[in-house]
Amino acid sequence: MKILFSFLPKQEQQDELIRKFPNAEFVFQKGLNEELLKSSQILVTYGEDLYASHLETAEQLKWIMVASAGLEKMPLQEIANRGIVVTNVRGIHKTPMAETILAHILSIKKSLPLVNENQRNGEWSKRVFPNELLGSTAIILGPGAIGGEVGRILLAFGVHTIGCNSSGRPAPFMEEVVTFDKLNEVLPKADIVISILPSTQQTIRLITYEHLQSMKPTVIFMNFGRGDVVNEEHLLRALEEEQIAYAVLDVFEKEPLTEGHPFWSMNNVIVSPHVSSHSSQYVVRALQIFSRNLNAWLEQKSLENEIDLEKGY
Amino acid sequence: MKILFSFLPKQEQQDELIRKFPNAEFVFQKGLNEELLKSSQILVTYGEDLYASHLETAEQLKWIMVASAGLEKMPLQEIANRGIVVTNVRGIHKTPMAETILAHILSIKKSLPLVNENQRNGEWSKRVFPNELLGSTAIILGPGAIGGEVGRILLAFGVHTIGCNSSGRPAPFMEEVVTFDKLNEVLPKADIVISILPSTQQTIRLITYEHLQSMKPTVIFMNFGRGDVVNEEHLLRALEEEQIAYAVLDVFEKEPLTEGHPFWSMNNVIVSPHVSSHSSQYVVRALQIFSRNLNAWLEQKSLENEIDLEKGY
C-alpha cells in the first residue's frame, strides 16, 4: 500500500509514521507528484494541489486525507464519481481558532489597541473605557467543532450563546439554536456575531446588508470561516455607516486582501491574514488524526471526519 | 443615621439608595467633607481621601465602606484603635480584571500586536507564529477572589493552575497551592506568572531578581496587584537580559509611570495605566455590595468583605 504525501512533515514525524505502519510504503514529497499518484492508494495533502485532471490516471486512489478544514479547492464531484473517500482534520482547528477568536473579542472589549497606541505615544491615559464580556450575547454561525469550542469558552465568560445552522438542531455549548432563515430575529440581540461557516452553496452571501443593518450599532462582527459568506462591499458600507461597530476579519473574498483596500486603514476593522488556525501544534495534531484513521482504514472501520461529498463538509 | 459619601454616584443611583433606606440620611458630596464627617456614622469613600487627622473629630464614625480593593492609603492603625469597621468591594474587580488579564495573555499568545502592526503597514504576512494557551502552566500569586476568577477561566482554556499564598492552603480553581517560600521550586514550570497581590509588609519586594532568573525565557510575567511586589530595576534588568519574554504591567512602583521610563518603549513590555479593574459596571456593583451590607448593618448581622485591620486585607 503506497501512501503519498504532497507536503513534508518533519523528519521525526516521518520516522514515527514509518515505525508505526511498517507494512505501508510512505512517500513524502513537497508538491503533488503526478507519476507517484498513479500508483498510490492514499494521498495526504493540504487540499490545494489536486485537480480533476489528476484523478483520471489516479486509478488506485481510494482515500484522500486533507490536512486542512476547507475543501473548496478540491474537485469534489470528480472525487465522488470515482468513489474515493475524503477525510479532513475537522476539529484540529478548534483550539487555536477558539483562542484566537477570544483574543480578538477581549482585545476589543478591553480597548487593548488604544492602550497600546497610548503606550507608543508615551501617554498615561486612563480614558480607555474597557467593556465587559460577562452578560453579552454571541451568535455563532456554524456551531460545529470550532464553533462549539468557541461556545464552550464563551459560556465560561458568562456569555449567552446562540448557534445558527441549517437544521436548527441543538448543538454543543449553544444555549439556543436557530435556523439560517430565523437569523433576522436573533441578530438584534447580539453583541458579537461570529461566522465560522465553510463556503458552500448554502452559505455564499448568506449575510446580507439588511442583516448587518439589523445588528446593534455596538456589535462586533467576526468572520473566521470563509470570506464569501458576506459581500465585502456591503460589509464596508455597514462599517462606514456605523451600522456595526467593529469587524474582525480573518478571511476575505480575495486573499491576500488587495493592496490599498479600505479595510487596511480602518480603525474599526481588524485585518488578520487568515492565520487564526495557525499553531505550532498543527502538523502534530494532523498526523495524530491521520494515524488513527490509517489504523481504522487497515481494520476496515469507519473513519473520523469523513466528508459528505454532496454537502461538501 | 447619617451616611456620608465622598464621591457622587449617578442621580438615579442616589435616588435608589434613598428609596431603599428611607430611615437613613444620605449626604452625597464630591470630596470628603470634614464637618459632615463629625456627625456621620457611615462613610462611603474610594479610600484615598481619609487621613488619620480626620478621625480625631469623627467621633460617631462606626463603619467605613471603601469602594475600592486597595487600602494602602487608609490610616488603618488609627481606624483599628477607634474600633471602626472597614469593608471594601473585594470581588467587584474579579470580572473586569480576569477578563483583562485573559485579554493580555491571549493577545500575546496570538501575536495580536504584530498582526496590528502589519495591518498599519498594509502588509499581509502570515509569519506571525501564534502560540497556544492550551497545555500551559500559570502561577497565580494571590489566589483570592480575583485570582480564583482568573484561575476558573484559565482552567476552561486547559491551563494548569498553581496558586501561591502565605498559608499554602487550597484555593478555589487552583490545581495546586504552594507557599511563598516554595515559589523557587514552581517558577521554572510556569509559562505565565500573574501577581494579584496587595501591598502588605509580607508582599513588598517578594519577587526577587533570582525569581525572575529562574523563570522560563518564554514566560509572560504579569503584575496586576501592586507595583512594589517587585523591584522595577530588577524587572527591567531581567527583561533586558531576556531572562523573561514579556512583562504586562498594570501597576508600577510610581504611578503614573515616569515619562521617559524604558518600559514605555520596550517591545516586550505592555504598559497598562492601572485600568484593569475599570468597568462600566463598577459603581453599580459597588452600590449593590453597599446595599447588602447596609441591610446587614441595620440587622446587626456580619458584613461582607470586612477587613482584618491587622493584616490589611
Side-chain angles (χ1 to χ4, degrees):
Chain A
M1 183 180 60
K2 190 182 287 179
I3 302 172
L4 178 64
F5 275 66
S6 68
F7 64 93
L8 282 178
K10 286 183 189 161
Q11 189 61 49
E12 66 264 28
Q13 293 168 332
Q14 296 183 20
D15 294 345
E16 197 188 337
L17 283 171
I18 292 165
R19 189 185 55 71
K20 271 191 189 165
F21 301 98
N23 298 323
E25 180 193 344
F26 285 96
V27 184
F28 301 102
Q29 291 214 342
K30 191 165 175 164
L32 183 62
N33 185 317
E34 269 188 74
E35 271 310 300
L36 290 169
L37 185 64
K38 290 178 189 169
S39 54
S40 298
Q41 284 80 53
I42 300 173
L43 171 67
V44 185
T45 167
Y46 279 127
E48 303 194 333
D49 51 11
L50 187 76
Y51 300 106
S53 57
H54 291 136
L55 294 170
E56 288 164 22
T57 54
E59 291 182 352
Q60 309 217 27
L61 194 60
K62 297 278 184 297
W63 168 26
I64 302 170
M65 150 87 183
V66 183
S68 160
L71 298 167
E72 64 272 17
K73 293 186 180 166
M74 299 279 288
L76 295 184
Q77 193 54 55
E78 290 80 358
I79 292 170
N81 292 346
R82 289 177 173 264
I84 298 169
V85 170
V86 176
T87 61
N88 70 355
V89 289
R90 190 174 57 219
I92 201 178
H93 297 95
K94 72 176 191 177
T95 294
M97 286 191 67
E99 290 186 1
T100 304
I101 287 168
L102 264 295
H104 283 289
I105 292 172
L106 286 165
S107 170
I108 289 173
K109 288 274 184 189
K110 300 302 164 186
S111 309
L112 296 198
L114 179 57
V115 168
N116 293 342
E117 187 186 331
N118 288 342
Q119 177 176 351
R120 286 197 301 277
N121 297 331
E123 190 184 336
W124 180 278
S125 168
K126 288 179 180 276
R127 299 179 61 78
V128 296
F129 307 113
N131 284 300
E132 282 188 22
L133 188 51
L134 175 72
S136 305
T137 293
I139 293 176
I140 293 96
L141 295 157
I146 299 161
E149 182 65 359
V150 173
R152 188 184 67 78
I153 298 177
L154 285 174
L155 289 175
F157 277 100
V159 175
H160 176 55
T161 56
I162 304 176
C164 186
N165 59 22
S166 53
S167 67
R169 273 196 290 269
F173 305 108
M174 299 298 134
E175 294 176 304
E176 305 173 41
V177 176
V178 298
T179 52
F180 290 140
D181 56 337
K182 291 283 183 347
L183 199 47
N184 269 323
E185 294 168 25
V186 289
L187 282 174
K189 298 183 197 174
D191 302 292
I192 305 161
V193 176
I194 310 163
S195 172
I196 316 159
L197 290 168
S199 181
T200 67
Q201 289 194 335
Q202 206 181 4
T203 62
I204 288 180
R205 305 283 162 105
L206 177 75
I207 309 282
T208 63
Y209 177 72
E210 287 65 36
H211 283 132
L212 294 164
Q213 252 188 327
S214 73
M215 296 182 193
K216 287 185 189 178
T218 54
V219 81
I220 304 173
F221 172 76
M222 310 182 77
N223 193 358
F224 283 71
R226 286 295 180 259
D228 55 15
V229 75
V230 59
N231 180 326
E232 258 168 29
E233 284 180 31
H234 292 177
L235 180 57
L236 179 60
R237 188 174 144 202
L239 284 158
E240 286 175 339
E241 293 171 352
E242 299 181 13
Q243 306 273 2
I244 66 174
Y246 287 98
V248 183
L249 307 172
D250 192 53
V251 291
F252 301 87
E253 286 190 313
K254 186 168 176 297
E255 295 179 15
L257 180 64
T258 324
E259 216 182 302
H261 192 290
F263 286 165
W264 284 112
S265 55
M266 288 169 76
N267 268 330
N268 53 352
V269 177
I270 302 287
V271 174
S272 170
H274 205 150
V275 291
S276 65
S277 64
H278 286 211
S279 163
S280 48
Q281 300 303 305
Y282 190 91
V283 178
V284 175
R285 292 209 188 110
L287 296 182
Q288 284 167 352
I289 295 174
F290 175 65
S291 292
R292 286 199 301 269
N293 266 346
L294 184 52
N295 270 320
W297 181 262
L298 293 170
E299 295 171 11
Q300 301 186 323
K301 291 181 180 166
S302 63
L303 303 186
E304 271 180 59
N305 294 341
E306 189 172 337
I307 301 301
D308 179 329
L309 294 170
E310 294 304 318
K311 287 187 184 169
Y313 61 90
Chain B
M1 184 180 59
K2 191 184 282 178
I3 302 172
L4 179 65
F5 275 65
S6 69
F7 63 94
L8 283 179
K10 286 184 188 160
Q11 190 60 49
E12 66 265 27
Q13 294 168 330
Q14 297 183 21
D15 293 346
E16 197 187 339
L17 284 171
I18 293 166
R19 190 185 54 72
K20 270 191 191 166
F21 300 98
N23 298 324
E25 180 193 346
F26 285 96
V27 184
F28 301 101
Q29 290 213 342
K30 190 165 178 164
L32 183 61
N33 185 317
E34 270 189 72
E35 271 309 300
L36 290 169
L37 184 64
K38 290 178 188 169
S39 54
S40 297
Q41 285 80 52
I42 300 173
L43 170 66
V44 185
T45 166
Y46 279 126
E48 303 194 333
D49 50 11
L50 186 77
Y51 302 106
S53 58
H54 292 137
L55 294 170
E56 289 164 22
T57 54
E59 291 182 352
Q60 309 217 26
L61 195 61
K62 298 276 182 299
W63 169 27
I64 302 171
M65 149 87 183
V66 183
S68 161
L71 298 166
E72 65 272 15
K73 294 187 178 164
M74 298 279 289
L76 295 183
Q77 194 54 57
E78 291 80 358
I79 291 170
N81 292 347
R82 290 180 174 264
I84 297 169
V85 170
V86 175
T87 61
N88 70 357
V89 287
R90 190 174 57 222
I92 201 178
H93 297 95
K94 73 176 191 178
T95 294
M97 285 191 69
E99 290 185 1
T100 305
I101 287 168
L102 264 296
H104 283 289
I105 293 172
L106 287 165
S107 170
I108 288 173
K109 289 275 184 187
K110 300 303 163 188
S111 307
L112 296 198
L114 179 56
V115 169
N116 292 343
E117 188 185 331
N118 288 342
Q119 178 177 351
R120 286 197 301 276
N121 297 331
E123 192 185 335
W124 179 277
S125 168
K126 288 179 180 276
R127 300 178 61 78
V128 296
F129 306 114
N131 283 301
E132 279 188 22
L133 188 50
L134 176 72
S136 306
T137 293
I139 293 176
I140 293 97
L141 296 156
I146 298 161
E149 181 67 0
V150 173
R152 186 183 68 78
I153 297 176
L154 285 174
L155 289 176
F157 278 99
V159 176
H160 176 56
T161 56
I162 304 176
C164 186
N165 59 23
S166 53
S167 67
R169 274 196 288 269
F173 306 108
M174 299 297 134
E175 294 176 302
E176 302 174 44
V177 176
V178 299
T179 52
F180 290 140
D181 57 336
K182 291 284 187 338
L183 199 47
N184 270 321
E185 295 169 26
V186 289
L187 282 174
K189 299 183 199 174
D191 302 292
I192 306 161
V193 176
I194 310 163
S195 172
I196 316 160
L197 291 168
S199 182
T200 68
Q201 288 192 337
Q202 206 182 3
T203 63
I204 287 179
R205 303 281 163 106
L206 177 76
I207 308 283
T208 64
Y209 176 72
E210 287 66 36
H211 282 132
L212 294 164
Q213 254 187 325
S214 74
M215 296 181 194
K216 286 186 189 177
T218 53
V219 80
I220 304 173
F221 173 76
M222 310 182 77
N223 194 357
F224 283 71
R226 286 294 179 261
D228 55 15
V229 76
V230 60
N231 181 326
E232 259 168 29
E233 284 179 29
H234 292 176
L235 180 58
L236 180 60
R237 190 175 143 202
L239 284 159
E240 286 173 339
E241 293 171 354
E242 299 181 11
Q243 306 273 1
I244 66 174
Y246 287 97
V248 183
L249 307 172
D250 190 53
V251 291
F252 303 87
E253 287 190 312
K254 186 169 176 297
E255 296 178 15
L257 181 64
T258 324
E259 216 181 300
H261 192 290
F263 286 165
W264 284 113
S265 55
M266 289 169 76
N267 269 330
N268 53 351
V269 177
I270 303 288
V271 174
S272 168
H274 205 151
V275 291
S276 65
S277 64
H278 285 210
S279 163
S280 48
Q281 300 303 304
Y282 190 93
V283 178
V284 175
R285 291 208 189 111
L287 296 181
Q288 284 167 352
I289 295 174
F290 175 65
S291 292
R292 287 199 300 268
N293 265 346
L294 185 52
N295 271 321
W297 180 262
L298 293 171
E299 296 171 10
Q300 301 186 322
K301 292 182 181 166
S302 63
L303 303 186
E304 268 180 62
N305 294 341
E306 188 171 338
I307 301 303
D308 179 329
L309 294 170
E310 294 304 318
K311 288 188 184 166
Y313 61 89

